[in-house]
Amino acid sequence: METVFKVRDLNLYYGKNKALNSISMPIYKNKVTALIGPSGCGKSSFIRCLNRMNDLIDDANIEGDIQFLDHSILGNNYDVISLRKQVGMVFQKPNPFPMSIYDNVAFGPRQQGIKDKKTLDKLVEQSLKQAALYDEVYDRLNTNAYKLSGGQQQRLCIARALAMQPEVILMDEPTSALDPIATQKIEELINDLKDDYTIVIVTHSMSQAARISDYTAFFYMGDLMEYDLTDKMFVSPQLKETEDYITGRFG
Amino acid sequence: MNKIKTKDTIVNVFVGLSSIITIVALAIIFGYVFTQGKDLISFDLITKDYHARNYVAVIENDTNQTFEMPSFDDEQVYVSSRYGIALIQSQDLAGDSVIKVAYIDENSPFTTMINQDPSKAQISLEEDAVVSRITYVNHPSSLTNKGAQMMINDLNDPEREIFEVMFATTGGGIRGSIITTLYLILLTLAVALPIGVLSAIYFNEFAKKTKLTKVLRNFVETLTGVPSIIYGLLGISVFVPLTMRFTPASGSNLIAGALTLGVILLPTIIRTTEESLKTVSDDHRFASLALGANKTQTTFKVVLPQALPGILTATFLGIGRIIGESAALIFVLGAAIKDQVRILEPSTSLAVHIWSMMTDEPANIALSSSIALIILLIVLVLNIIIKLIASMWLKKGQV
C-alpha cells in the first residue's frame, strides 16, 4: 500500500523530558489514521512533528527520521514552508482569523502570491464546497468569520486548509470543542475527504476513532503501543493496555 | 466585634478623605488655570503672531476733508471725523492696556502713509492695530498712557499737524508655537512610531526568550522612568551636533527636538505595542504558519492588524507626551518664541511657550494659563479618542 509518511525511530524531547520514545510507523495514503491515547501520551506531539510545528517550541528537540513522500523532512535545510503547504492542519479550537469568510479561505493562497481574483474566487468556492460549508455561507462571504457558529468556524478552518490543496490534513482533536451535531457534520466531512486526502486525526473519543478511521494508533506514555487496522484493533486488541483503554477502563 | 467596627469606620473615613483631597486639589488647579486663562482665550490668540511688529510712518497726503463716521455704542470708542478714524481703549493679548484702531475710513489719510524704514514703502493703518504714539510738529506727542480720549482730542485739535505715527500690528498670539507643536508631533511620530513598532515586533515575535532579550527588555522599561531633562542633555550633546553636522542648522532646531522626543517616546511605544501584540492569540499565529505562511507574513498579515488598536493607543499617548514635554525641549529646541517656524531653526512648543512666559519679568500668568487651557483641551480630546477606540475594540472582540 502507498505510504505518505514513513516515521522511523522518532524521539522527541521538550527540554529534558522525553515526549516520544522511538516511534516507527507508516501513514497510508488516502486513509484516515486515528491517534488515540490518554492525555499526555504524546499523540498531539507526534502529529505536530509531521508538519514540524514543534519547531515553534523553543526547547523542543527531535531525533530520528520522518520521510514525507520519500524526502526526509527533519533536516535543517528542509523547506518547512513547502512542507506546511502540503501538510495542512486543523486545530482543537476553531481559530479563524478575524477577517471575512472569503479572506480566511483565500489567506493561504494569497501568501503564496496568488492575486488573480478569478483564481481565488474559484479556490474559495471549491474549498468551501469540499468543506460542506458553501451552501450555508455563499451569500455572505464578506461577513466576519466570527459571526459563524463554532461548528461552521471549524469547517471554515478545514476549508482554509483545503484551499492550499494539500496532500495530508492533520487534525488535532478537531471536534473536542463542538456540540454533537457539529461533530457529526465534521465526521461526515472527514469521510468524504479521504477520497482525495490523507487524514491524520488525534481524538479522545473511542467511538469517533471507531466510526471514522481506517487505521488506529494507540499511544501510551510516549510509546506507540499498538498500530493496526481500526476494525481489527477495536475487535481484538493485541495488548492488555489497549484493551483497557478502548473499553474505557482508564484514560 | 466593636473593635472591628471602629477600625472599619476609621479606614472608611481615611479612604473618603483621601479621595476628597485629590478631587479638591485637582479642582483648585483646573479652577485657577480656567479663571486666569479664560479671558484671553480667543480665535485671535491661536491665529495671531506672538511678536508685534512696529512701524513708524508719515502721512503722505492729508486731504483735509471731513469724514462721515458711523456711530459706536461702546463708550470706550472715540471718533475723529477729521481723520476718519475711531480709537478704542483696549487690552492686548498679554493683558496690557493699549489703544487700538476700532474703525478706519477707506480714504482716511492714515491709509496712505510712507513707512520710515529704508524701504519707504507705502503702508496703511488697519483695524485692530495698536497706535502707540502720534507726534506733532511743535506740539507734544500723544501717548498710549494718556488714553484713547486724549489721543482723539489731540487729533481733532485744528492747531496740530501730524509729524509721525507709531503703531504696531497686534501681537501676543501663539500661532508660531502651535505650528511648532504640530511639526514636532509629525516629525517625532515619523521617527518613533516605525522604530518603536518594529522593535516591539522583534521583542515579541522574533527574539528568542534568552537572558539577553530579558536584559534588553528591562533596559527599555527602565528608560520609561528617566527624567526628561536627561533626554534633553542627550539631545544637546548628540542630536544638536548631529543636525548641525548634516544640515545647515546652526544650533538648537526642530529636527533635533523631534529626535530627542522620539527617544523619549520609544520605550512607551515599544511597551504599549508589545502589550497589544501579546493579546493576539497564538492560535492565529499557529494557524497562519500551518498554512505555509512564513514568519514575516504571519506577523504583518495576521498579528499586526489585530494589534492596531494598541498601536493607535500608543500613538495618542505619544502625542500627549509630545504636547506636554518641556524640560527636554528647552535645550534642544530652544526657548525663543518664533512666528516664522523653520525646522532647522529654534522655536518653542506650546509647553515651552508657557515656560518662556513664566520666566519673563514679570511672569505672564494670564497668557500662560490660556495656553495651559488649550493644552488641557487637546489632552482631553486625545483621551476621549483613546477611550472610544478602546471601547470599539472591546465590542469587536465580543462578537
Side-chain angles (χ1 to χ4, degrees):
Chain A
M1 199 170 349
E2 233 182 307
T3 60
V4 180
F5 282 106
K6 282 192 208 110
V7 182
R8 266 189 233 113
D9 281 329
L10 185 73
N11 290 306
L12 175 70
Y13 302 86
Y14 293 128
K16 280 177 188 153
N17 294 328
K18 199 167 191 185
L20 290 175
N21 190 12
S22 191
I23 308 289
S24 296
M25 66 185 279
I27 285 170
Y28 300 108
K29 194 175 162 75
N30 288 6
K31 299 287 176 201
V32 177
T33 306
L35 310 181
I36 60 169
S39 299
C41 68
K43 55 193 190 307
S44 288
S45 296
F46 176 75
I47 204 174
R48 283 203 301 266
C49 288
L50 298 179
N51 65 346
R52 285 192 49 185
M53 288 298 273
N54 278 329
D55 288 11
L56 304 174
I57 299 164
D58 277 344
D59 59 351
N61 215 339
I62 307 180
E63 290 167 359
D65 184 39
I66 300 176
Q67 300 247 327
F68 172 61
L69 303 176
D70 297 324
H71 290 282
S72 182
I73 61 167
L74 290 184
N76 279 333
N77 301 328
Y78 189 80
D79 181 5
V80 182
I81 303 290
S82 85
L83 172 70
R84 289 181 188 151
K85 277 188 247 168
Q86 295 172 78
V87 183
M89 189 163 196
V90 176
F91 296 81
Q92 189 170 351
K93 225 174 84 196
N95 57 358
F97 301 128
M99 36 177 108
S100 72
I101 295 171
Y102 184 98
D103 289 341
N104 260 285
V105 183
F107 180 85
R110 271 182 181 149
Q111 303 318 311
Q112 301 314 316
I114 298 176
K115 288 202 184 86
D116 180 50
K117 181 99 177 52
K118 269 189 195 142
T119 318
L120 284 175
D121 284 352
K122 227 171 109 189
L123 258 176
V124 170
E125 187 183 328
Q126 181 194 322
S127 309
L128 285 171
K129 275 180 177 158
Q130 276 188 311
L133 186 62
Y134 188 73
D135 292 342
E136 293 163 50
V137 299
Y138 69 93
D139 54 347
R140 48 178 176 139
L141 291 178
N142 287 320
T143 52
N144 195 304
Y146 282 21
K147 296 238 156 74
L148 298 174
S149 72
Q152 287 173 324
Q153 286 186 17
Q154 192 62 301
R155 274 180 283 149
L156 178 65
C157 292
I158 295 174
R160 189 172 65 182
L162 292 174
M164 293 301 292
Q165 301 173 305
E167 197 70 33
V168 184
I169 302 173
L170 308 175
M171 298 186 175
D172 192 355
E173 300 183 42
T175 60
S176 64
L178 304 180
D179 64 62
I181 293 169
T183 300
Q184 194 194 344
K185 276 198 175 147
I186 302 259
E187 287 181 5
E188 284 165 8
L189 175 60
I190 291 171
N191 219 4
D192 294 339
L193 287 174
K194 75 174 176 187
D195 296 338
D196 301 311
Y197 305 92
T198 306
I199 293 171
V200 183
I201 179 171
V202 170
T203 178
H204 265 289
S205 153
M206 289 319 107
S207 50
Q208 184 171 64
R211 277 196 301 271
I212 62 171
S213 70
D214 303 302
Y215 287 86
T216 299
F218 172 56
F219 282 76
Y220 184 55
M221 310 266 285
D223 287 307
L224 174 62
M225 305 296 282
E226 198 168 340
Y227 179 40
D228 213 332
L229 282 166
T230 303
D231 293 340
K232 219 167 133 195
M233 194 197 276
F234 276 79
V235 175
S236 54
Q238 302 288 307
L239 295 174
K240 174 101 177 30
E241 287 91 341
T242 317
E243 192 185 344
D244 286 351
Y245 184 69
I246 57 185
T247 51
R249 234 168 278 166
F250 80 102
Chain B
M1 197 62 205
N2 232 342
K3 218 173 160 186
I4 295 175
K5 218 173 174 184
T6 20
K7 227 175 162 180
D8 186 48
T9 320
I10 291 170
V11 169
N12 279 345
V13 167
F14 272 108
V15 170
L17 263 180
S18 307
S19 58
I20 288 171
I21 289 170
T22 313
I23 291 167
V24 168
L26 284 175
I28 289 173
I29 295 170
F30 279 92
Y32 180 78
V33 168
F34 185 75
T35 46
Q36 289 288 325
K38 71 175 191 319
D39 291 338
L40 286 179
I41 290 238
S42 65
F43 196 61
D44 278 351
L45 178 69
I46 56 174
T47 55
K48 281 265 160 63
D49 282 352
Y50 176 74
H51 295 287
R53 230 163 299 140
N54 293 296
Y55 297 97
V56 177
V58 294
I59 289 179
E60 196 181 15
N61 48 348
D62 189 350
T63 48
N64 232 331
Q65 62 185 110
T66 306
F67 293 90
E68 248 185 68
M69 300 297 287
S71 59
F72 297 92
D73 294 336
D74 197 328
E75 282 183 7
Q76 299 272 40
V77 177
Y78 304 94
V79 178
S80 162
S81 47
R82 156 80 177 78
Y83 285 99
I85 194 168
L87 297 176
I88 182 170
Q89 194 69 43
S90 173
Q91 274 188 334
D92 66 7
L93 294 169
D96 291 328
S97 180
V98 291
I99 298 167
K100 278 187 180 171
V101 178
Y103 169 83
I104 185 161
D105 193 279
E106 56 181 10
N107 295 318
S108 161
F110 287 117
T111 58
T112 50
M113 297 190 291
I114 300 293
N115 193 349
Q116 289 306 91
D117 72 353
S119 72
K120 299 285 174 202
Q122 194 175 58
I123 190 168
S124 164
L125 193 59
E126 280 169 354
E127 273 174 36
D128 256 7
V130 173
V131 182
S132 48
R133 178 206 282 254
I134 300 177
T135 55
Y136 298 95
V137 183
N138 293 331
H139 281 276
S141 309
S142 29
L143 299 165
T144 304
N145 54 15
K146 301 242 177 78
Q149 191 174 12
M150 271 302 280
M151 198 174 265
I152 287 291
N153 286 347
D154 288 346
L155 274 180
N156 285 339
D157 182 350
E159 303 260 300
R160 289 172 182 243
E161 188 194 337
I162 294 177
F163 176 61
E164 269 180 350
V165 183
M166 284 175 72
F167 66 96
T169 52
T170 44
I174 56 170
R175 188 179 61 97
S177 297
I178 289 178
I179 291 173
T180 303
T181 309
L182 293 179
Y183 269 130
L184 268 184
I185 291 172
L186 283 179
L187 290 173
T188 307
L189 288 181
V191 174
L193 256 193
I195 298 178
V197 170
L198 290 177
S199 322
I201 288 176
Y202 173 75
F203 277 128
N204 202 56
E205 305 291 322
F206 288 89
K208 288 226 167 79
K209 311 272 176 284
T210 60
K211 271 208 178 111
L212 181 71
T213 53
K214 221 174 169 182
V215 169
L216 277 176
R217 199 188 296 254
N218 278 330
F219 182 64
V220 170
E221 231 159 277
T222 316
L223 286 179
T224 328
V226 174
S228 56
I229 193 94
I230 293 177
Y231 287 106
L233 286 175
L234 164 91
I236 196 129
S237 55
V238 178
F239 291 130
V240 172
L242 213 64
T243 43
M244 282 166 72
R245 176 94 206 263
F246 293 106
T247 68
S250 61
S252 18
N253 60 77
L254 232 163
I255 290 185
L259 289 173
T260 311
L261 279 179
V263 176
I264 295 178
L265 288 196
L266 270 182
T268 318
I269 291 180
I270 293 175
R271 288 282 304 155
T272 320
T273 307
E274 229 193 313
E275 288 309 316
S276 65
L277 287 173
K278 283 207 178 94
T279 62
V280 178
S281 162
D282 267 345
D283 289 352
H284 292 148
R285 293 187 180 88
F286 291 152
S288 169
L289 291 169
L291 282 166
N294 62 30
K295 192 105 195 184
T296 314
Q297 289 168 327
T298 303
T299 302
F300 285 93
K301 295 279 164 57
V302 176
V303 179
L304 207 55
Q306 297 187 56
L308 266 187
I311 295 170
L312 220 57
T313 309
T315 310
F316 283 117
L317 285 175
I319 295 176
R321 186 81 198 258
I322 297 168
I323 294 171
E325 188 51 61
S326 57
L329 289 177
I330 292 167
F331 300 145
V332 188
L333 180 57
I337 299 162
K338 285 283 178 67
D339 289 318
Q340 302 300 320
V341 179
R342 305 261 182 282
I343 56 169
L344 290 176
E345 285 174 13
S347 50
T348 54
S349 72
L350 285 172
V352 181
H353 196 124
I354 293 184
W355 184 84
S356 287
M357 298 277 77
M358 294 305 287
T359 45
D360 257 6
E361 217 39 77
N364 190 340
I365 293 177
L367 183 55
S368 299
S369 301
S370 308
I371 302 172
L373 260 185
I374 290 172
I375 293 179
L376 282 175
L377 268 177
I378 297 174
V379 173
L380 187 74
V381 169
L382 281 178
N383 263 316
I384 291 172
I385 292 175
I386 295 175
K387 294 264 159 63
L388 279 179
I389 289 169
S391 70
M392 259 160 62
W393 193 29
L394 279 181
K395 258 186 222 149
K396 208 175 141 198
Q398 278 163 0
V399 171

